[in-house]
Amino acid sequence: MAENKAAVRQLRYAIVGAGMAGLLAGVKLRQNGEEFTIFEKADRLGGTWRENRYPGLTCDVPAHAYTYSFEPYPEWKAYYAAGPDIQVYFEMVADKYDVRRSIRFNCEVAGMVWDEAAHEWAVTLGNGETQRFDVVIAASGVLHHPKMPVIEGLESFAGRAFHSAQWEDDAPIDGVRVGLIGNGSTGVQILTAINKRVEKLVHFQRSPQWIMPVPQFPYSDEDRAAFRADPALMDAIRYHDEYLGAIRRFTDGITDINGPEIAQIEEICRLNLENSVRNPELREKLRPDYRAACKRLIYSWCYYEEVQNPSVYVDTGRIARIEPEGVRMTDGTFHPLDTLILATGFHADRFIRPATVTGEGGRSLDDAWARRPTAYFALSVPDFPNLFLLNGPTGPVGNFSLIDIAERQWDYVDQLLDRLRSGAERRIAPTRAAHEDYEERRIAAAKTTIFGSGCTSWYLDAEGVPASWPWSYDAFADAMKAPVFADFGLPDEGSAAGRLEEEASA
């Protein structure tokens, strides 16, 4: 149990979202003996693992690495965990750490207004109720507002059409003709799961993906018994040199686009395509015209095998319109379909919105983010005191565990909260100068990463700038060790931006 830091001043905490990051914040506050309320818009916890229930749903981080550091889990069924198993894990954590009693389900946050005189947030809920809090933790996540494609005639489709995050369990799949639009991680996973169930599966993919081959294997009853008996066996997987080396290879590769790490990634992906797809025509359909990792790299152990199933047809053309009986391509080709699955992603720039957030001086978050969503070190925004974002804009979104990222972010935020707990401060927000300095350096670096090397992806903002952390994983870990209080206008020395400059020039 952590030492109680709340003895001087009992803070009132609101946490927005009962997904991975919201539960983390709840566990940490409960361990510290502090009270809080988690507002969850849905009727269950779990975040993206509650929202997404499509066949084949799997995390692309090894299960023992996609686990809270304080709660290893011997019950994982496979090296890469399926979505339902991850949901079970989060439900268990909420109960074990007594977080569930502090969650208000079916309770969406509609708006927040900072009271400058009282130094507190007035939080208004969807039912019109307003409550007041000293601190708001925005843990609403990134991928929870489904993005529907704009395609002529979509509403005219006579069969079942639905977004992958709004999966319809009774939709016809078995023995019928299915269209699948989109081939990010979701589209790839759905294809691998249903291609043997359908009569025909047409996979519409305007832009092929590079596929990183990874191993997948089940954990046996004997494996799980061994994990229970010796938790060090789980740590050996989580902290294995090969896994950590792959993380560093990837983050070094995206920041040094002419270096050996990205060259190795590209070669692995190229050989995976060359050696796995037998049909030359299909192989060329599946060959991207951009560099590996420019789009979010897809990890799969079976996509190339499954996409070669005779039931699958890959169409890389442009959709002209959707008609009642199927999909018409611009070249005139018509695909008759019974069911249409839209694996078209999410609006990745919303975060806590559509809640309206009004900070100091009446400044709205929509205005602050009019050009692009941004936050100082992905955690806080000038003029919005005592509002902290976990997995907020410009944070690391590469192929490594967001649980690890959120835990590091919480350690950073917790040090800022100590200033509020002690009564030394009533409001904490970064200065505009510190934020502008961080963002200027981040944008300059982001443009030189692999994400900015020439492709379209959900990583890019409206101006084509990668909306991501552009430095190494180790630089992020170092930055999260301790806040530079001077950047919040508080007594301290040094500059966070200066640390990044040193890292970039090293």
Side-chain angles (χ1 to χ4, degrees):
M1 186 69 68
E3 179 185 354
N4 194 311
K5 303 176 183 178
V8 174
R9 183 178 173 217
Q10 293 284 348
L11 298 175
R12 299 163 296 171
Y13 297 93
I15 301 170
V16 183
M20 174 275 291
L23 293 177
L24 169 67
V27 168
K28 293 296 186 178
L29 291 173
R30 181 118 299 149
Q31 287 180 322
N32 194 44
E34 299 181 87
E35 291 301 318
F36 56 89
T37 301
I38 300 179
F39 296 105
E40 171 51 56
K41 65 182 179 180
D43 60 359
R44 295 177 66 205
L45 58 84
T48 192
W49 305 107
R50 175 202 64 235
E51 294 289 307
N52 290 279
R53 298 179 296 102
Y54 60 79
L57 173 62
T58 308
C59 183
D60 59 4
V61 173
H64 286 292
Y66 194 75
T67 308
Y68 296 122
S69 63
F70 52 84
E71 189 55 40
Y73 189 56
E75 309 306 325
W76 293 123
K77 297 177 182 178
Y79 184 67
Y80 288 97
D85 296 329
I86 298 172
Q87 177 70 18
V88 168
Y89 173 72
F90 286 132
E91 298 269 3
M92 179 275 295
V93 168
D95 291 330
K96 179 174 180 178
Y97 291 87
D98 194 26
V99 172
R100 191 184 295 271
R101 68 179 170 89
S102 296
I103 304 175
R104 289 189 58 178
F105 293 106
N106 298 308
C107 204
E108 187 167 9
V109 172
M112 297 164 36
V113 178
W114 175 252
D115 185 329
E116 296 186 44
H119 294 96
E120 61 187 20
W121 284 101
V123 177
T124 301
L125 308 177
N127 62 5
E129 176 187 352
T130 297
Q131 295 189 28
R132 290 180 170 266
F133 298 91
D134 302 296
V135 175
V136 174
I137 307 295
S140 50
V142 182
L143 306 180
H144 61 111
H145 294 293
K147 186 176 184 179
M148 298 296 290
V150 180
I151 304 175
E152 179 186 344
L154 177 58
E155 70 286 348
S156 73
F157 185 63
R160 298 285 282 276
F162 52 90
H163 193 277
S164 58
Q166 299 163 335
W167 191 265
E168 298 182 6
D169 292 327
D170 61 347
I173 298 293
D174 295 295
V176 303
R177 301 162 300 179
V178 177
L180 175 60
I181 299 178
N183 67 318
S185 292
T186 296
V188 164
Q189 291 179 354
I190 291 173
L191 181 144
T192 62
I194 71 172
N195 72 88
K196 291 184 175 68
R197 296 171 51 188
V198 303
E199 175 189 325
K200 183 177 183 179
L201 175 63
V202 181
H203 195 190
F204 301 94
Q205 50 173 264
R206 286 284 311 284
S207 181
Q209 299 276 5
W210 287 112
I211 308 294
M212 172 64 71
V214 292
Q216 170 69 322
F217 49 86
Y219 288 125
S220 66
D221 290 341
E222 291 76 15
D223 291 331
R224 288 188 286 274
F227 291 144
R228 292 185 209 110
D230 184 4
L233 295 175
M234 292 180 280
D235 284 345
I237 297 172
R238 174 177 180 140
Y239 301 115
H240 194 277
D241 288 344
E242 183 176 348
Y243 170 66
L244 294 179
I247 289 177
R248 289 183 168 84
R249 180 183 67 192
F250 181 79
T251 57
D252 290 345
I254 64 176
T255 57
D256 181 7
I257 65 174
N258 296 311
E261 293 85 3
I262 195 66
Q264 184 181 14
I265 290 170
E266 291 180 312
E267 183 67 0
I268 292 172
C269 292
R270 186 188 67 79
L271 289 175
N272 187 31
L273 174 64
E274 297 288 352
N275 297 333
S276 301
V277 182
R278 297 177 294 276
N279 183 291
E281 182 180 354
L282 178 58
R283 188 188 310 134
E284 293 314 305
K285 278 187 175 183
L286 298 176
R287 188 186 304 278
D289 61 1
Y290 55 86
R291 298 185 63 179
C294 183
K295 295 178 184 286
R296 190 174 196 271
L297 200 58
I298 292 182
Y299 288 15
S300 178
W301 52 92
C302 61
Y303 173 69
Y304 284 148
E305 176 184 350
E306 301 295 341
V307 78
Q308 294 177 87
N309 188 317
S311 66
V312 177
Y313 179 78
V314 175
D315 197 321
T316 57
R318 182 185 294 272
I319 295 175
R321 61 186 177 276
I322 295 174
E323 300 177 5
E325 302 303 321
V327 173
R328 180 80 61 184
M329 311 301 289
T330 56
D331 66 0
T333 302
F334 182 73
H335 297 288
L337 299 171
D338 304 296
T339 301
L340 189 58
I341 302 168
L342 309 173
T344 48
F346 299 84
H347 293 283
D349 62 348
R350 303 306 293 160
F351 299 97
I352 193 174
R353 298 178 294 179
T356 58
V357 182
T358 305
E360 290 178 323
R363 190 184 189 200
S364 75
L365 191 62
D366 282 335
D367 286 342
W369 287 355
R371 187 173 183 184
R372 60 171 57 88
T374 178
Y376 170 84
F377 277 76
L379 285 166
S380 52
V381 184
D383 304 319
F384 295 86
N386 301 3
L387 170 63
F388 303 102
L389 301 96
L390 297 180
N391 292 319
T394 75
V397 290
N399 296 80
F400 45 89
S401 175
L402 285 179
I403 289 185
D404 176 49
I405 297 305
E407 288 197 30
R408 292 181 186 277
Q409 289 177 322
W410 179 261
D411 290 343
Y412 180 104
V413 169
D414 198 39
Q415 296 174 68
L416 294 172
L417 294 177
D418 278 344
R419 294 288 183 102
L420 298 174
R421 294 180 179 113
S422 70
E425 305 295 338
R426 296 291 304 279
R427 60 160 314 278
I428 292 180
T431 66
R432 288 193 180 189
H435 174 254
E436 290 169 1
D437 187 52
Y438 162 78
E439 186 67 347
E440 179 181 350
R441 294 175 184 276
R442 187 198 68 81
I443 290 173
K447 289 179 178 179
T448 69
T449 65
I450 197 68
F451 304 137
S453 64
C455 66
T456 58
S457 78
W458 63 268
Y459 282 163
L460 304 181
D461 65 24
E463 297 180 7
V465 177
S468 61
W469 176 264
W471 299 286
S472 71
Y473 174 84
D474 290 328
F476 181 79
D478 178 64
M480 291 297 100
K481 288 178 180 177
V484 175
F485 290 102
D487 288 352
F488 293 84
L490 306 174
D492 192 50
E493 296 180 357
S495 165
R499 286 213 308 267
L500 293 179
E501 184 176 30
E502 292 175 5
E503 201 278 339
S505 62

